[in-house]
Amino acid sequence: MTTKLGVWDVIKSVIAALFGVQSEQNRQRDFTQDSPAAYIVIGVVMIGVFVATLLAIVGMIT
């Protein structure tokens, strides 16, 4: 039986995965969840925030 992860746990997992520092134990835990929807939504939002931040930094420099 898998335990349901909270939003904060999913956010931490997505951030760790984006930086490439996800532990094997957490990766296995994430892949045993019933639905990947929360990971996909938070991942898309995090990448959007990353791109917006880069655009803002480039806009301030130029």
Side-chain angles (χ1 to χ4, degrees):
M1 183 170 163
T2 61
T3 59
K4 205 72 160 149
L5 295 178
V7 174
W8 183 243
D9 293 324
V10 174
I11 291 171
K12 289 190 301 186
S13 287
V14 168
I15 291 172
L18 287 173
F19 282 105
V21 295
Q22 182 78 298
S23 69
E24 180 64 21
Q25 179 183 0
N26 287 346
R27 189 185 71 77
Q28 290 293 332
R29 179 199 66 199
D30 294 343
F31 276 92
T32 59
Q33 296 301 305
D34 292 335
S35 173
Y39 294 96
I40 293 169
V41 169
I42 292 175
V44 168
V45 169
M46 295 299 291
I47 290 174
V49 168
F50 177 72
V51 168
T53 302
L54 287 178
L55 290 173
I57 290 171
V58 168
M60 289 184 340
I61 292 173
T62 58

